[in-house]
Amino acid sequence: MRNVDENSITQIVLARHAQAENPRLRQIVTGIVEHLHAFAREVELTEAEWFQGIQFLTDVGHITDENRQEFILLSDTLGLSMLVTALNNRKPAGCTESTVFGPFFVENAPRYENGDDVANGAKGEPCFVTGRVTGLDGEPVANARIDVWQADSEGFYDVQREGAQGNRGRGTLTSLADGSFHFRSITAESYPIPHDGPVGRMLKALGRHPWRPAHLHFMIEAPGYERLITHVFRDGDQYLDSDAVFGVRSSLIADWQRHEPGRAPDGTQIDTAFSTLDFTFVLNPSPARPVPR
Ligand code: BEZ
Ligand code: FE
């Protein structure tokens, strides 16, 4: 094909993919090409701007390694991660909503018994969490696997700390016969997503801050139910309406009650202020009930 011009190029590129064996791959690449071309036409992209974009993506690649995934951060901050989460997790009313996974989950976190302290040395004000796992009809879900992970009071996950400190502020628990679980940890605080790289520079150029409102991450799995990946957000946080990754759902905001030093729910005497949190997680049955769009 010769003499390709600005009007004909999109269809000519798409025709080249007509023989692709995988129809889903063809559909996805067709969408990408159509939207990229439409975008370049719409903004009349200059060559200098195109090159700046290439440079930016190159920087995103260079800073990415096994501990830092700048591409996911880019997807998160552009709202793509939350969009994909929303598209793939439509649930009937009453189910706990899903939100972004984030980059700080770790496989094989330590297993804890109910009542244990998952902080494991992470800095922060003590927090006592109680929860329940139920199904849509209110039935208790026993033996659910509950993964929890959180940042410390300085805003860092254990995996962001220099040197191996082991698992801090993360662990796996199992719900009891009545669906309940409880553990000790530290009070969640708001923190900035990593912003010392190209995504941070992008946010700054766009007049955006990198902060996420205080939250605990949960992943809950039980046979007969869909896996739930979500957060519980701390009510009153100043970033609830401007989360850098667009993950807040009103239904996921909970009251972290603050207490003066004294006796904690587990009976221990706490000589600093501490907080308590209670939250019920409602799982969607699997196979899922149909949900209207
Ligand atoms: C998190 O909540 O851990 C997170 C989510 C998206 C980007 C960075 C961090
Ligand atoms: Fe987080």
Side-chain angles (χ1 to χ4, degrees):
M1 177 63 63
R2 297 187 183 175
N3 303 322
V4 174
D5 66 20
E6 65 174 276
N7 296 311
S8 61
I9 189 161
T10 305
Q11 287 314 314
I12 289 168
V13 173
L14 296 181
R16 287 275 168 97
H17 303 153
Q19 307 309 322
E21 274 182 20
N22 181 333
R24 179 65 175 161
L25 175 68
R26 192 169 66 236
Q27 183 187 21
I28 287 173
V29 176
T30 297
I32 291 173
V33 169
E34 281 176 346
H35 286 274
L36 274 177
H37 287 205
F39 146 75
R41 288 190 182 97
E42 185 186 317
V43 303
E44 286 267 355
L45 195 67
T46 69
E47 288 163 297
E49 289 161 346
W50 170 84
F51 191 64
Q52 213 179 335
I54 296 290
Q55 205 83 59
F56 174 74
L57 291 174
T58 305
D59 292 345
V60 170
H62 280 157
I63 203 171
T64 295
D65 61 21
E66 64 276 7
N67 296 319
R68 172 139 182 185
Q69 233 305 352
E70 196 80 355
F71 282 105
I72 294 185
L73 216 50
L74 180 59
S75 163
D76 293 341
T77 51
L78 293 181
L80 180 61
S81 306
M82 193 57 212
L83 173 59
V84 173
T85 297
L87 291 172
N88 287 278
N89 291 278
R90 296 186 187 102
K91 295 173 202 273
C95 285
T96 301
E97 294 184 278
S98 300
T99 189
V100 284
F101 195 38
F104 298 125
F105 173 75
V106 168
E107 296 283 353
N108 301 320
R111 283 202 162 265
Y112 287 107
E113 297 298 325
N114 278 283
D116 283 349
D117 185 359
V118 310
N120 190 26
K123 281 192 205 151
E125 192 179 271
C127 177
F128 294 84
V129 179
T130 50
R132 258 165 318 286
V133 186
T134 78
L136 246 189
D137 299 322
E139 73 278 13
V141 178
N143 292 319
R145 177 193 163 110
I146 300 150
D147 273 291
V148 58
W149 65 105
Q150 71 168 113
D152 62 27
S153 61
E154 291 170 355
F156 293 107
Y157 287 81
D158 52 1
V159 289
Q160 293 177 284
R161 295 278 189 192
E162 286 290 315
Q165 288 187 318
N167 292 284
R168 295 188 173 188
R170 68 175 73 244
T172 304
L173 298 120
T174 305
S175 61
L176 302 171
D178 63 354
S180 72
F181 64 91
H182 60 286
F183 61 92
R184 175 175 170 163
S185 189
I186 50 174
T187 304
E189 307 286 352
S190 44
Y191 66 85
I193 61 171
H195 58 289
D196 56 345
V199 169
R201 291 201 299 278
M202 176 191 81
L203 293 180
K204 192 152 189 263
L206 293 171
R208 287 174 53 180
H209 70 69
W211 288 82
R212 296 216 65 207
H215 58 272
L216 283 183
H217 292 257
F218 285 93
M219 177 161 76
I220 302 184
E221 295 169 281
Y225 296 91
E226 285 187 348
R227 181 171 74 173
L228 171 66
I229 294 173
T230 195
H231 305 358
V232 180
F233 293 94
R234 186 169 159 198
D235 200 8
D237 192 287
Q238 63 176 312
Y239 299 111
L240 282 171
D241 290 313
S242 63
D243 180 8
V245 304
F246 309 98
V248 179
R249 322 286 305 166
S250 302
S251 67
L252 301 177
I253 300 173
D255 187 19
W256 256 256
Q257 289 195 0
R258 200 122 191 291
H259 306 268
E260 293 308 314
R263 198 165 293 282
D266 67 355
T268 51
Q269 184 67 26
I270 304 288
D271 55 13
T272 61
F274 63 93
S275 63
T276 52
L277 166 69
D278 183 63
F279 199 83
T280 297
F281 297 87
V282 181
L283 304 183
N284 200 15
S286 172
R289 295 184 194 171
V291 188
R293 280 197 192 184

PDB file of all heavy atoms in Angstrom, residues 73 76 100 102-104 157 191 193-194 212 215 217 231 245, ligand 1:
ATOM      1  N   LEU A  73       0.944   2.387  38.131  1.00  0.00           N
ATOM      2  CA  LEU A  73       0.713   3.693  38.756  1.00  0.00           C
ATOM      3  C   LEU A  73       0.128   4.680  37.728  1.00  0.00           C
ATOM      4  O   LEU A  73      -0.768   5.471  38.039  1.00  0.00           O
ATOM      5  CB  LEU A  73       2.052   4.210  39.277  1.00  0.00           C
ATOM      6  CG  LEU A  73       2.076   4.992  40.566  1.00  0.00           C
ATOM      7  CD1 LEU A  73       1.336   4.290  41.679  1.00  0.00           C
ATOM      8  CD2 LEU A  73       3.526   5.261  40.982  1.00  0.00           C
ATOM      9  N   ASP A  76      -3.399   3.720  37.209  1.00  0.00           N
ATOM     10  CA  ASP A  76      -4.181   4.119  38.396  1.00  0.00           C
ATOM     11  C   ASP A  76      -4.507   5.607  38.364  1.00  0.00           C
ATOM     12  O   ASP A  76      -5.640   6.025  38.610  1.00  0.00           O
ATOM     13  CB  ASP A  76      -3.384   3.838  39.678  1.00  0.00           C
ATOM     14  CG  ASP A  76      -3.157   2.354  39.935  1.00  0.00           C
ATOM     15  OD1 ASP A  76      -3.883   1.528  39.367  1.00  0.00           O
ATOM     16  OD2 ASP A  76      -2.231   2.036  40.714  1.00  0.00           O
ATOM     17  N   VAL A 100      -9.715  -0.620  43.604  1.00  0.00           N
ATOM     18  CA  VAL A 100      -8.428  -0.981  43.005  1.00  0.00           C
ATOM     19  C   VAL A 100      -7.590  -1.891  43.913  1.00  0.00           C
ATOM     20  O   VAL A 100      -7.631  -1.776  45.136  1.00  0.00           O
ATOM     21  CB  VAL A 100      -7.582   0.267  42.651  1.00  0.00           C
ATOM     22  CG1 VAL A 100      -8.116   0.940  41.408  1.00  0.00           C
ATOM     23  CG2 VAL A 100      -7.518   1.240  43.810  1.00  0.00           C
ATOM     24  N   GLY A 102      -4.143  -2.062  43.789  1.00  0.00           N
ATOM     25  CA  GLY A 102      -2.919  -1.380  44.229  1.00  0.00           C
ATOM     26  C   GLY A 102      -1.719  -2.289  44.056  1.00  0.00           C
ATOM     27  O   GLY A 102      -1.859  -3.495  43.862  1.00  0.00           O
ATOM     28  N   PRO A 103      -0.526  -1.715  44.157  1.00  0.00           N
ATOM     29  CA  PRO A 103       0.695  -2.479  43.859  1.00  0.00           C
ATOM     30  C   PRO A 103       1.358  -3.118  45.081  1.00  0.00           C
ATOM     31  O   PRO A 103       2.426  -3.701  44.936  1.00  0.00           O
ATOM     32  CB  PRO A 103       1.619  -1.404  43.272  1.00  0.00           C
ATOM     33  CG  PRO A 103       1.206  -0.141  43.960  1.00  0.00           C
ATOM     34  CD  PRO A 103      -0.263  -0.273  44.294  1.00  0.00           C
ATOM     35  N   PHE A 104       0.756  -3.033  46.259  1.00  0.00           N
ATOM     36  CA  PHE A 104       1.502  -3.418  47.462  1.00  0.00           C
ATOM     37  C   PHE A 104       1.045  -4.716  48.116  1.00  0.00           C
ATOM     38  O   PHE A 104       1.430  -5.008  49.246  1.00  0.00           O
ATOM     39  CB  PHE A 104       1.490  -2.263  48.474  1.00  0.00           C
ATOM     40  CG  PHE A 104       2.149  -1.028  47.960  1.00  0.00           C
ATOM     41  CD1 PHE A 104       1.475   0.187  47.942  1.00  0.00           C
ATOM     42  CD2 PHE A 104       3.441  -1.074  47.455  1.00  0.00           C
ATOM     43  CE1 PHE A 104       2.077   1.336  47.442  1.00  0.00           C
ATOM     44  CE2 PHE A 104       4.052   0.068  46.946  1.00  0.00           C
ATOM     45  CZ  PHE A 104       3.372   1.279  46.936  1.00  0.00           C
ATOM     46  N   TYR A 157       4.291   1.214  52.890  1.00  0.00           N
ATOM     47  CA  TYR A 157       4.093  -0.227  53.038  1.00  0.00           C
ATOM     48  C   TYR A 157       5.445  -0.849  53.341  1.00  0.00           C
ATOM     49  O   TYR A 157       6.494  -0.306  52.940  1.00  0.00           O
ATOM     50  CB  TYR A 157       3.506  -0.812  51.746  1.00  0.00           C
ATOM     51  CG  TYR A 157       2.056  -0.432  51.568  1.00  0.00           C
ATOM     52  CD1 TYR A 157       1.688   0.806  51.055  1.00  0.00           C
ATOM     53  CD2 TYR A 157       1.052  -1.308  51.949  1.00  0.00           C
ATOM     54  CE1 TYR A 157       0.358   1.166  50.925  1.00  0.00           C
ATOM     55  CE2 TYR A 157      -0.288  -0.964  51.823  1.00  0.00           C
ATOM     56  CZ  TYR A 157      -0.625   0.275  51.312  1.00  0.00           C
ATOM     57  OH  TYR A 157      -1.940   0.627  51.207  1.00  0.00           O
ATOM     58  N   TYR A 191      -1.717   8.709  52.755  1.00  0.00           N
ATOM     59  CA  TYR A 191      -0.312   8.668  52.314  1.00  0.00           C
ATOM     60  C   TYR A 191      -0.244   8.996  50.822  1.00  0.00           C
ATOM     61  O   TYR A 191      -1.223   8.780  50.091  1.00  0.00           O
ATOM     62  CB  TYR A 191       0.310   7.292  52.601  1.00  0.00           C
ATOM     63  CG  TYR A 191      -0.298   6.163  51.794  1.00  0.00           C
ATOM     64  CD1 TYR A 191       0.150   5.878  50.512  1.00  0.00           C
ATOM     65  CD2 TYR A 191      -1.331   5.388  52.310  1.00  0.00           C
ATOM     66  CE1 TYR A 191      -0.422   4.859  49.759  1.00  0.00           C
ATOM     67  CE2 TYR A 191      -1.897   4.371  51.572  1.00  0.00           C
ATOM     68  CZ  TYR A 191      -1.440   4.114  50.292  1.00  0.00           C
ATOM     69  OH  TYR A 191      -2.010   3.121  49.557  1.00  0.00           O
ATOM     70  N   ILE A 193       0.954   8.286  47.000  1.00  0.00           N
ATOM     71  CA  ILE A 193       1.480   7.200  46.171  1.00  0.00           C
ATOM     72  C   ILE A 193       2.903   7.595  45.752  1.00  0.00           C
ATOM     73  O   ILE A 193       3.268   8.783  45.825  1.00  0.00           O
ATOM     74  CB  ILE A 193       0.587   6.952  44.932  1.00  0.00           C
ATOM     75  CG1 ILE A 193       0.519   8.194  44.044  1.00  0.00           C
ATOM     76  CG2 ILE A 193      -0.807   6.514  45.363  1.00  0.00           C
ATOM     77  CD1 ILE A 193      -0.158   7.943  42.712  1.00  0.00           C
ATOM     78  N   PRO A 194       3.734   6.628  45.343  1.00  0.00           N
ATOM     79  CA  PRO A 194       5.095   6.992  44.952  1.00  0.00           C
ATOM     80  C   PRO A 194       5.067   8.094  43.883  1.00  0.00           C
ATOM     81  O   PRO A 194       4.428   7.943  42.844  1.00  0.00           O
ATOM     82  CB  PRO A 194       5.650   5.675  44.381  1.00  0.00           C
ATOM     83  CG  PRO A 194       4.838   4.596  45.056  1.00  0.00           C
ATOM     84  CD  PRO A 194       3.469   5.185  45.232  1.00  0.00           C
ATOM     85  N   ARG A 212      -3.576   9.525  48.789  1.00  0.00           N
ATOM     86  CA  ARG A 212      -4.708   8.608  48.925  1.00  0.00           C
ATOM     87  C   ARG A 212      -5.265   8.768  50.334  1.00  0.00           C
ATOM     88  O   ARG A 212      -4.508   8.862  51.312  1.00  0.00           O
ATOM     89  CB  ARG A 212      -4.261   7.150  48.767  1.00  0.00           C
ATOM     90  CG  ARG A 212      -3.699   6.803  47.391  1.00  0.00           C
ATOM     91  CD  ARG A 212      -4.104   5.398  47.005  1.00  0.00           C
ATOM     92  NE  ARG A 212      -5.548   5.326  46.849  1.00  0.00           N
ATOM     93  CZ  ARG A 212      -6.283   4.240  47.013  1.00  0.00           C
ATOM     94  NH1 ARG A 212      -5.704   3.116  47.356  1.00  0.00           N
ATOM     95  NH2 ARG A 212      -7.596   4.267  46.855  1.00  0.00           N
ATOM     96  N   HIS A 215      -6.763   4.133  54.392  1.00  0.00           N
ATOM     97  CA  HIS A 215      -7.561   2.941  54.083  1.00  0.00           C
ATOM     98  C   HIS A 215      -6.844   1.679  54.522  1.00  0.00           C
ATOM     99  O   HIS A 215      -5.626   1.652  54.669  1.00  0.00           O
ATOM    100  CB  HIS A 215      -7.853   2.851  52.579  1.00  0.00           C
ATOM    101  CG  HIS A 215      -6.607   2.811  51.748  1.00  0.00           C
ATOM    102  ND1 HIS A 215      -5.982   3.952  51.298  1.00  0.00           N
ATOM    103  CD2 HIS A 215      -5.837   1.788  51.312  1.00  0.00           C
ATOM    104  CE1 HIS A 215      -4.898   3.628  50.619  1.00  0.00           C
ATOM    105  NE2 HIS A 215      -4.771   2.319  50.619  1.00  0.00           N
ATOM    106  N   HIS A 217      -6.558  -2.307  53.079  1.00  0.00           N
ATOM    107  CA  HIS A 217      -6.864  -3.170  51.928  1.00  0.00           C
ATOM    108  C   HIS A 217      -7.358  -4.527  52.425  1.00  0.00           C
ATOM    109  O   HIS A 217      -6.782  -5.080  53.376  1.00  0.00           O
ATOM    110  CB  HIS A 217      -5.605  -3.457  51.113  1.00  0.00           C
ATOM    111  CG  HIS A 217      -5.046  -2.284  50.396  1.00  0.00           C
ATOM    112  ND1 HIS A 217      -5.225  -2.093  49.044  1.00  0.00           N
ATOM    113  CD2 HIS A 217      -4.293  -1.248  50.823  1.00  0.00           C
ATOM    114  CE1 HIS A 217      -4.595  -0.989  48.678  1.00  0.00           C
ATOM    115  NE2 HIS A 217      -4.020  -0.449  49.743  1.00  0.00           N
ATOM    116  N   HIS A 231     -11.195  -1.875  49.690  1.00  0.00           N
ATOM    117  CA  HIS A 231     -10.596  -1.148  50.815  1.00  0.00           C
ATOM    118  C   HIS A 231     -11.725  -0.775  51.780  1.00  0.00           C
ATOM    119  O   HIS A 231     -12.881  -0.691  51.378  1.00  0.00           O
ATOM    120  CB  HIS A 231     -10.031   0.220  50.434  1.00  0.00           C
ATOM    121  CG  HIS A 231      -9.033   0.320  49.341  1.00  0.00           C
ATOM    122  ND1 HIS A 231      -8.514  -0.721  48.642  1.00  0.00           N
ATOM    123  CD2 HIS A 231      -8.429   1.437  48.845  1.00  0.00           C
ATOM    124  CE1 HIS A 231      -7.640  -0.255  47.761  1.00  0.00           C
ATOM    125  NE2 HIS A 231      -7.577   1.047  47.860  1.00  0.00           N
ATOM    126  N   VAL A 245      -6.087   7.941  42.957  1.00  0.00           N
ATOM    127  CA  VAL A 245      -6.357   6.830  42.035  1.00  0.00           C
ATOM    128  C   VAL A 245      -7.861   6.544  41.893  1.00  0.00           C
ATOM    129  O   VAL A 245      -8.242   5.513  41.360  1.00  0.00           O
ATOM    130  CB  VAL A 245      -5.574   5.557  42.433  1.00  0.00           C
ATOM    131  CG1 VAL A 245      -4.076   5.855  42.508  1.00  0.00           C
ATOM    132  CG2 VAL A 245      -6.051   4.950  43.734  1.00  0.00           C
TER     133      VAL A 245
HETATM  134  C1  BEZ B   1      -2.570   1.514  47.317  1.00  0.00           C
HETATM  135  O1  BEZ B   1      -3.602   1.826  47.850  1.00  0.00           O
HETATM  136  O2  BEZ B   1      -1.812   0.793  47.934  1.00  0.00           O
HETATM  137  C2  BEZ B   1      -2.217   2.092  45.978  1.00  0.00           C
HETATM  138  C3  BEZ B   1      -3.133   2.038  44.962  1.00  0.00           C
HETATM  139  C4  BEZ B   1      -2.798   2.565  43.726  1.00  0.00           C
HETATM  140  C5  BEZ B   1      -1.554   3.140  43.528  1.00  0.00           C
HETATM  141  C6  BEZ B   1      -0.638   3.211  44.575  1.00  0.00           C
HETATM  142  C7  BEZ B   1      -0.991   2.685  45.818  1.00  0.00           C
END
